[in-house]
Amino acid sequence: MNVPETSYLYAIEAEITKLNSEKSHIVIKAKKESRELTTEEKELVDKIDSRMKTIKLIKADLTVKNTTKDYTRTREQEEDTLLKMAKQRKEDIDEYTSKNRLDLVEIEKAELDIINEFAPQLPSDDEIKEFTENALTEYQAAQGEDYVLSMRDMGKLKPIVLAKYPKADGNLIKSILEKRIKG
């Protein structure tokens, strides 16, 4: 989705306006023709309502701290909020999958897809893993040929990866480092 450089809220509000317009168009068309909504139209309105619900959740999370006139949320804070929302949905999907609640998994996946349309694009887990592995190899080589990695090295390596990917999942980086260090 094309998000303006100034604020994610502008893109969210534009999407809400667009969805309201689409829904109104469907309903007004049926009224002009003096008929009930068709099954297809009802399904389309339900999809619009479902999307609208998630978009409004995003807007609420982005504006929750904006309770005073003087407060202005930065783009970085908005990005962090969107990434936290996406991370929460991923955790919920894992939880519901483990409990075999596939009905809830589908709802969370749909919400995650919509949130990801607005959230900044992060590097893939594979990209982070590759960079982390390379950083580990370079670090170990710089320490000397016989140097054996220990858990103490994690404190030096994790900041290197986070400098390249500041919004990367710290738990992912930690697990990659632990796996390689522990052998």
Side-chain angles (χ1 to χ4, degrees):
M1 170 142 307
N2 188 12
V3 177
E5 287 297 315
T6 52
S7 173
Y8 284 88
L9 277 176
Y10 294 130
I12 297 293
E13 289 169 357
E15 185 69 11
I16 290 171
T17 301
K18 183 184 123 207
L19 291 171
N20 278 327
S21 176
E22 289 174 8
K23 183 177 174 181
S24 295
H25 178 73
I26 293 167
V27 173
I28 290 170
K29 181 181 175 188
K31 283 184 179 183
K32 280 184 178 180
E33 296 172 2
S34 299
R35 63 173 175 82
E36 296 291 320
L37 293 175
T38 65
T39 304
E40 290 174 355
E41 290 172 329
K42 286 179 184 176
E43 289 173 4
L44 188 54
V45 167
D46 286 345
K47 284 182 184 179
I48 291 171
D49 286 342
S50 177
R51 182 172 174 81
M52 180 81 78
K53 177 184 164 210
T54 302
I55 299 289
K56 286 182 177 181
L57 284 173
I58 296 170
K59 183 178 179 183
D61 274 9
L62 290 175
T63 58
V64 73
K65 290 184 181 175
N66 193 3
T67 56
T68 65
K69 289 182 180 181
D70 297 334
Y71 179 82
T72 303
R73 176 171 268 188
T74 66
R75 185 173 177 84
E76 185 175 302
Q77 289 171 318
E78 290 179 338
E79 288 175 353
D80 289 344
T81 298
L82 290 166
L83 293 172
K84 285 177 188 174
M85 290 178 75
K87 184 178 180 182
Q88 181 63 52
R89 295 313 182 283
K90 288 176 188 173
E91 290 170 359
D92 290 347
I93 289 168
D94 291 342
E95 178 77 19
Y96 294 145
T97 301
S98 71
K99 293 181 178 179
N100 204 25
R101 291 295 314 267
L102 302 182
D103 55 327
L104 298 176
V105 168
E106 292 305 314
I107 293 169
E108 295 295 323
K109 281 184 179 180
E111 287 185 5
L112 178 60
D113 289 344
I114 294 168
I115 292 167
N116 282 335
E117 288 178 30
F118 294 93
Q121 296 304 310
L122 294 177
S124 69
D125 289 354
D126 290 337
E127 188 177 343
I128 294 169
K129 183 177 181 180
E130 181 181 338
F131 181 81
T132 304
E133 291 285 342
N134 290 338
L136 259 166
T137 302
E138 289 176 22
Y139 175 82
Q140 190 171 15
Q143 302 306 313
E145 190 176 304
D146 298 331
Y147 187 77
V148 177
L149 292 169
S150 71
M151 292 305 285
R152 280 184 259 156
D153 295 314
M154 190 180 301
K156 297 174 186 168
L157 290 161
K158 194 172 178 183
I160 293 170
V161 178
L162 287 173
K164 170 89 172 164
Y165 302 113
K167 298 207 184 272
D169 182 0
N171 291 329
L172 172 66
I173 296 168
K174 181 181 174 188
S175 69
I176 294 167
L177 291 172
E178 282 179 347
K179 194 178 293 183
R180 174 86 182 271
I181 290 171
K182 291 180 180 178

